[in-house]
Amino acid sequence: MTLPEGVERQEFDGDTGLATRGEPVYGEPVRDGWRRWDPSRSKLGSMLDLGMDTGLSGGETVLYLGAAAGTTVSHVADFAGPTYAVEFAPRPMRDLVLAAEDRENLFPLLKDARDPDSYSHIVEPVDILLQDVATRGQAAVAVANRRFLADDGLLLMAIKARSEDVTGDPEAVFENVLDELRESYEILETTRLEPYHDDHLGVIARPA
């Protein structure tokens, strides 16, 4: 699996891990301008570290759903092109705005990913739809935001079993979400994100 241009494995205090070049955001280690990308704090980071074929090469236009305080999306903006970051909670949005101050290609949007009409006038067609939302109806969010994804683009998604159904068997929850996704997407690859994230499934899909 080839890492995107702008993402490298660097050594930090004797430990080798993913890194991007940019201003630090969440107290991560920094060496010679490279900031450590902690896969235990990032679903996309764990997907890359586990060798999933994300299709990322660098420079893509990205729509990121569930940006929170900017931990992952700041790394994405370090190597991607225009990066639209949707977050609905005001408190993490303040941190996200601070992360964007050092990244002119990162555009924070205080919006609800379940309501893409509210930002359809802002977001251009994108190459990559990245989704990391903690809510029921995760497949519905991905389907609703399919409108922004180019026909040859990719969905990179982390399904959170406990957000979908806190008592359900994770494997059954994953399969239910994947069945819903198949209404609009062709599933290319799935991988459990352990040991970094319990009861999470990384998904790579393309528009059907």
Side-chain angles (χ1 to χ4, degrees), residues 3 11 21 32 57 68 73 77 87 108 111 119 124 152 172 184:
L3 293 173
E11 186 174 313
R21 281 192 174 275
D32 297 331
S57 59
V73 77
E87 172 55 43
K111 303 289 184 181
Y119 47 89
E124 62 186 305
D152 60 350
S184 298

Side-chain angles (χ1 to χ4, degrees), residues 2 8 12 37-38 59 63 93 104 115 128 131-132 144 154 172:
T2 303
E8 294 186 6
F12 296 87
W37 191 349
D38 184 351
L63 173 59
M93 174 57 67
E104 61 182 17
D115 181 20
I128 300 291
Q131 181 171 319
D132 180 15
L154 288 174

Side-chain angles (χ1 to χ4, degrees), residues 9-10 57 64 66 84 89 98 100 106 121 124 130 154 168 201 207:
R9 293 190 181 275
Q10 295 283 328
S57 59
Y64 193 107
Y84 300 92
L98 289 176
L106 178 55
H121 61 296
E124 62 186 305
L130 268 165
L154 288 174
L201 185 73

